[in-house]
Amino acid sequence: MPTDATPDPHTDPLAFGQRMQILRTRRGMSRPVMAGLLGMSPSWVKQVERGEIGMPRLPIVLRIAEVLRVRDLSDLTGDQSAPVELFVGPGHSRLPAVRDAVNALTLDGDREAPSTEHLAARLARAWAARHRSANHREILGELLPDLIRDAQLAVRQSDSAASRRAAQAVLSEVYSLSQFFIAYQPDGALLWRVAERGMVAAQESEDPHAIGVAAWLAAQAHRDTGPDHFDAADAMAMEALSHLNRFLPDANDRVRAIAGALQFEVGYTAARRGETGAAWGWWDKAKATARSLPADYYHPVTSFSQAIIGAHAVTVAVELRAGGESVRQAVAADTAAIPSRPRLARHRIEEARAYHLDGQAETALATLEKAHQAAPETIKYNGYARRIVLEEAESKYPARRRRAAALADQLGLLAA
């Protein structure tokens, strides 16, 4: 092995600081950038990495794990005896069935494919069921295997160019729905495979809405991979917006909504970079697009709507690490107008991040309890919620520890 190869933090008993440096370097993150995200000085980061300062207390360790997008806490601490996955939730019991449907080779067989109209109606019912359900992954896990196989078969059996494009549009959205089930589960390769297939199907369909949705999800996947993929996330969103612009003057509500969702994604990535002006500038563009939609419109895939813009403002402020502003936006947001239970739970988690960032730990835990009431499967798979709960389980205040421990038990974080 070359002597200048980057060591693997799993193979040798490396110190905490060495692991932190390796993982930071792999993310392509500089010490000053990491220090800024942690609220520490670059010299502090350097001292930790050199072993001049020992492993910090758990709250700081959890913040480091969030900044570095460490999926398993033991990758950072070196303690393999009790691994804790932070940004990947537990594998759902229906994940193998969905994986098998994605991986299957669907040829003609001995049955006729459903019509694209029938598939589109089933897909619409699946989206509606997801928004209504507290345990939305259970619902999707039950519906997806047959939907995936039937949509693949519809493409295979298309007998004209027009019918094939229509079938590809439905198949693309089925893959989009699949990504909501697969995300934050322990199969990153499957998530990327579905994202890529969704994009291919969307391009084959030539449907602007399908292309926009596929790009929206792909941009998120790139951004969540880490800072070194932020440029790819922006490129995906910007190219899709450029494509959609030609359709916008005469576009229907759902095409305008996906354009607005993409505008917000660019702002979200800017916020992750710490670019305040760009982040709020793109949020303003998304807000203007939302105002062009009917007041009661709600996009079934992205949740983009007038109702969601306030929730998006909380996310921007939180990602910019602006505690006071994020709380102000959280107070201003109209949660009663969010009709989707999983999206409401996601917003509650963002509110909890705002309160926690502002030093209001009790309010953050109370808000996470509301998220759990709205949709337990959303908070169970959310790394930010898990990090806050674990951090507060180490609080010096007994009442707060008990409250956090109860939530940790509900999320399965205390399992042996």
Side-chain angles (χ1 to χ4, degrees):
M1 174 181 289
T3 56
D4 61 348
T6 302
D8 189 327
H10 307 281
T11 55
D12 297 310
L14 299 176
F16 174 85
Q18 291 173 298
R19 289 172 175 273
M20 188 174 90
Q21 182 176 12
I22 291 166
L23 293 165
R24 175 181 62 78
T25 303
R26 287 183 178 179
R27 283 284 178 204
M29 186 182 295
S30 68
R31 280 178 180 151
V33 168
M34 182 174 178
L37 292 171
L38 291 173
M40 298 293 194
S41 67
S43 62
W44 181 88
V45 174
K46 185 177 181 179
Q47 286 176 304
V48 172
E49 292 183 347
R50 288 185 170 184
E52 297 169 10
I53 297 177
M55 187 168 77
R57 288 176 54 82
L58 181 62
I60 301 299
V61 171
L62 290 167
R63 288 188 192 129
I64 293 169
E66 178 184 344
V67 166
L68 296 177
R69 300 294 291 178
V70 173
R71 295 193 177 276
D72 192 315
L73 198 59
S74 63
D75 293 348
L76 179 61
T77 64
D79 180 7
Q80 302 295 321
S81 62
V84 177
E85 291 183 330
L86 291 175
F87 291 92
V88 176
H92 195 280
S93 61
R94 295 188 184 273
L95 180 60
V98 174
R99 182 192 297 119
D100 289 346
V102 171
N103 292 339
L105 180 63
T106 304
L107 300 176
D108 292 334
D110 57 357
R111 65 188 182 92
E112 184 177 352
S115 68
T116 54
E117 293 80 10
H118 175 76
L119 285 170
R122 284 168 57 187
L123 189 56
R125 289 195 296 270
W127 283 117
R130 176 185 179 271
H131 290 304
R132 288 194 305 265
S133 175
N135 295 313
H136 45 95
R137 276 189 169 81
E138 180 65 25
I139 296 294
L140 293 186
E142 182 178 358
L143 296 174
L144 278 170
D146 286 342
L147 256 177
I148 292 168
R149 293 188 186 96
D150 286 349
Q152 290 173 336
L153 193 60
V155 171
R156 177 73 179 176
Q157 293 184 1
S158 298
D159 55 6
S160 70
S163 65
R164 186 177 181 83
R165 286 194 297 271
Q168 290 280 24
V170 172
L171 177 61
S172 177
E173 193 169 326
V174 169
Y175 283 136
S176 297
L177 182 64
S178 302
Q179 289 179 67
F180 280 83
F181 173 81
I182 299 167
Y184 306 113
Q185 293 202 59
D187 196 338
L190 181 65
L191 179 64
W192 277 107
R193 187 154 61 251
V194 169
E196 289 168 356
R197 290 187 184 182
M199 179 58 74
V200 170
Q203 290 174 318
E204 291 289 330
S205 76
E206 300 179 10
D207 181 273
H209 178 259
I211 291 170
V213 169
W216 178 77
L217 285 162
Q220 291 186 18
H222 280 296
R223 186 181 60 241
D224 288 345
T225 302
D228 48 337
H229 290 262
F230 285 176
D231 287 347
D234 278 343
M236 182 67 68
M238 294 297 292
E239 188 170 353
L241 279 170
S242 177
H243 177 73
L244 292 177
N245 279 340
R246 73 190 71 171
F247 301 102
L248 289 181
D250 301 311
N252 57 28
D253 289 341
R254 67 177 195 158
V255 173
R256 282 186 289 142
I258 192 58
L262 284 161
Q263 288 168 337
F264 172 69
E265 288 306 311
V266 180
Y268 192 166
T269 305
R272 282 275 184 92
R273 284 193 175 101
E275 298 171 351
T276 302
W280 287 115
W282 280 101
W283 179 83
D284 283 337
K285 291 180 181 180
K287 182 179 180 181
T289 301
R291 285 180 171 174
S292 74
L293 297 168
D296 60 349
Y297 180 82
Y298 197 83
H299 191 260
V301 182
T302 67
S303 295
F304 191 81
S305 56
Q306 292 188 29
I308 214 67
I309 285 297
H312 282 337
V314 178
T315 296
V316 169
V318 168
E319 293 295 345
L320 290 169
R321 314 297 292 179
E325 177 63 16
S326 61
V327 168
R328 190 184 73 79
Q329 294 291 350
V331 171
D334 183 8
T335 57
I338 301 176
S340 166
R341 292 186 69 164
R343 188 59 184 83
L344 175 59
R346 165 70 189 282
H347 173 57
R348 293 295 191 196
I349 293 167
E350 295 295 277
E351 287 183 317
R353 293 178 68 197
Y355 289 119
H356 202 253
L357 185 64
D358 199 48
Q360 301 183 45
E362 284 286 355
T363 307
L365 288 174
T367 307
L368 288 179
E369 289 168 350
K370 292 179 181 178
H372 192 268
Q373 292 167 8
E377 285 191 348
T378 295
I379 184 171
K380 185 176 182 179
Y381 288 81
N382 186 280
Y384 297 115
R386 294 156 72 90
R387 193 265 291 173
I388 293 171
V389 169
L390 285 171
E391 182 172 332
E392 293 308 320
E394 294 285 317
S395 170
K396 64 182 180 180
Y397 301 104
R400 195 185 300 171
R401 284 201 307 271
R402 288 192 294 270
R403 192 170 195 172
L407 259 174
D409 186 42
Q410 289 175 314
L411 300 182
L413 295 177
L414 301 183

